Amino acid sequence: MTFEHPILEKSLAKTLGVPLFREQLMQVAVDAAGFSGGEADELRRAMGSKRSPERMARMKARFFAGLAETSGIVGDIATSLWNKIIAFAAYGFPESHSQSFASLVFFSAWFKLHYPAEFCVGLLRAQPMGFYSPQSLLADARRHGVKILPISINDSEVEASIETTADGASAIRLGLDLINGISCCEEIVQHAPYSDIADIVRKVGVNVAQLEALARAGALECLGVDRRQALWQAGIAVTERVDMLPGLSVVHAPTLPGMNAFELLIQDLAATGVSHDKQPMTFVRETLTQQGVIPAAQLLSVADGTRIHVAGVVTHRQRPQTAGKVTFLGMEDETGLINVVVSRGLWERQKKVACTATVLKVRGIVHNENGVASITADQLTELSIGKLLKLRSRDFH
């Protein structure tokens, strides 16, 4: 461990000579340049995001004069210290914050490792929050072996909950609050279980729109009817009243064509914003494989610098102020997450596709030599499956 000057050991020793915390910046100014506590705080504030050139010039002159007088530091070493302080001030934060963040990361990682279902439920119950949507959170839980149970009017709580499966594992039961158009979730949970659709109307007094929303979300399948049958019965069922004899509104739906797995997925996404059992890219994986598209789970096994194709649902678009107008796309397939870097030039050339596509196929160069994969894109192609999905990305938040 080395220091540019012995006087820096006091402030930088605990971080092995590398300034990490805002307090260290201030301590360097006090120890090496003879700043008072008030002057050190003024230096910190002067180097904030809205820097005044005049103010910085005054602080620089004070800092250099203080270095020469207090420590005898002049020339290249003085310039190096000033440049390090300026560079550090752009991203430095208090030591207490770093300790808090480190604790949160450790505790979160521990809970996710040992209690993945409970951890995911906690995140779902805290929505809206964070970077990832409920759909991405559930997909990640599935990839870690957690079973996701569909919404059920007899089994679901208002929010996501934990159920124990037959083998003793913890599974996630989706909550009624995910259903679009339902405002009586607490009343539904309070009066469960239900014997049939008419029973829901007698106990809760739902209207046609609410009953149809429950049907479209698959919440009534536990009553022995599929989604189309439940929709067929909804209009008559809402005529039920508490003082009526049971069974008067029962209608038997005609034989209706069933829904295939992809149709069910589209219906789930439209009704709730999530799919409990499959990720959309599952349904086009065979075609993508024939086209040479690499799934997310295999990106680390591709040679660094190789031009490849990837494809996935766009989960978010970000353009940090410090990124020089480079845009970062988050994408997801059934095997994991994909990080895509889009240059300013490519964004301008393909702006419509880049801004609006729900599902993208991306050609670009893979970078994975540091154990984390990213793709520097050179071509974006919208996939038609995206036009069928009712999914929204989290853009520029």
Side-chain angles (χ1 to χ4, degrees):
M1 181 168 54
T2 60
F3 303 95
E4 291 180 283
H5 192 280
I7 202 168
L8 300 178
E9 183 173 0
K10 177 182 177 181
S11 56
L12 302 182
K14 67 179 178 181
T15 55
L16 304 182
V18 180
L20 295 181
F21 310 123
R22 185 179 296 169
E23 293 86 349
Q24 289 178 301
L25 178 152
M26 298 169 67
Q27 191 65 49
V28 167
V30 171
D31 294 342
F35 276 41
S36 66
E39 287 178 315
D41 189 58
E42 184 181 357
L43 174 62
R44 175 190 62 79
R45 287 185 280 109
M47 293 181 176
S49 58
K50 298 181 180 180
R51 297 181 183 178
S52 165
E54 296 79 10
R55 192 178 182 187
M56 286 297 295
R58 290 196 305 270
M59 296 305 300
K60 179 178 180 180
R62 169 68 181 90
F63 185 74
F64 274 70
L67 287 178
E69 181 180 348
T70 305
S71 311
I73 299 174
V74 295
D76 291 342
I77 295 180
T79 301
S80 175
L81 283 177
W82 177 253
N83 290 337
K84 286 183 177 180
I85 288 177
I86 290 179
F88 169 77
Y91 63 86
F93 47 87
E95 183 175 2
S96 59
H97 289 194
S98 68
Q99 292 176 347
S100 298
F101 295 154
S103 296
L104 287 173
V105 169
F106 177 81
F107 297 147
S108 297
W110 189 91
F111 277 115
K112 185 175 181 179
L113 174 63
H114 296 286
Y115 299 95
E118 290 81 356
F119 180 74
C120 184
V121 164
L123 295 179
L124 293 172
R125 288 190 169 200
Q127 296 295 313
M129 57 83 69
F131 202 61
Y132 296 103
S133 67
Q135 171 73 349
S136 292
L137 295 173
L138 290 170
D140 179 75
R142 279 198 303 269
R143 290 193 292 268
H144 286 84
V146 178
K147 185 174 183 180
I148 314 297
L149 303 175
I151 299 173
S152 166
I153 199 165
N154 279 343
D155 302 295
S156 292
E157 297 181 12
V158 174
E159 299 179 296
S161 58
I162 295 295
E163 285 191 19
T164 304
T165 60
D167 59 359
S170 293
I172 298 173
R173 173 70 72 177
L174 299 182
L176 295 170
D177 63 335
L178 289 172
I179 304 176
N180 299 323
I182 295 294
S183 59
C184 53
C185 298
E186 293 183 359
E187 290 86 348
I188 291 174
V189 172
Q190 181 181 353
H191 292 94
Y194 304 95
S195 57
D196 53 36
I197 296 178
D199 193 28
I200 303 170
V201 180
R202 287 193 298 271
K203 290 181 177 179
V204 183
V206 293
N207 57 36
V208 174
Q210 293 170 329
L211 201 56
E212 289 180 345
L214 289 165
R216 284 191 291 270
L220 305 181
E221 292 185 352
C222 61
L223 303 178
V225 290
D226 63 27
R227 302 183 196 210
R228 287 175 172 163
Q229 291 172 331
L231 283 170
W232 183 278
Q233 296 180 18
I236 297 298
V238 294
T239 64
E240 283 279 336
R241 297 293 181 271
V242 175
D243 56 354
M244 290 174 56
L245 292 173
L248 294 181
S249 66
V250 173
V251 294
H252 297 286
T255 302
L256 301 170
M259 301 174 71
N260 61 35
F262 185 62
E263 290 173 327
L264 289 172
L265 174 112
I266 293 175
Q267 187 66 65
D268 281 339
L269 294 176
T272 67
V274 303
S275 55
H276 75 277
D277 59 346
K278 289 183 175 64
Q279 205 272 350
M281 301 307 294
T282 303
F283 295 95
V284 292
R285 177 53 58 192
E286 183 176 352
T287 300
L288 292 175
T289 299
Q290 293 172 356
Q291 297 173 355
V293 175
I294 306 297
Q298 297 179 17
L299 290 178
L300 292 179
S301 63
V302 179
D304 182 72
T306 305
R307 176 173 275 106
I308 63 171
H309 287 87
V310 294
V313 176
V314 179
T315 59
H316 53 269
R317 298 170 173 89
Q318 300 292 322
R319 187 180 296 142
Q321 293 183 353
T322 56
K325 295 190 176 181
V326 170
T327 304
F328 300 94
L329 298 182
M331 293 169 44
E332 183 176 34
D333 66 16
E334 76 278 18
T335 70
L337 302 173
I338 305 169
N339 298 312
V340 178
V341 181
V342 181
S343 67
R344 180 181 181 181
L346 178 60
W347 183 271
E348 293 300 326
R349 290 195 301 273
Q350 296 195 261
K351 191 170 185 177
K352 183 177 180 181
V353 171
C355 285
T356 63
T358 301
V359 179
L360 280 175
K361 182 167 76 170
V362 177
R363 187 186 72 187
I365 304 297
V366 63
H367 305 282
N368 57 15
E369 63 181 353
N370 61 357
V372 178
S374 66
I375 311 295
T376 300
D378 54 48
Q379 184 182 75
L380 308 176
T381 304
E382 183 175 12
L383 297 185
S384 58
I385 184 178
K387 297 183 182 299
L388 302 174
L389 304 176
K390 302 296 182 180
L391 286 173
R392 297 180 62 184
S393 55
R394 297 188 171 187
D395 297 338
F396 308 111
H397 289 178

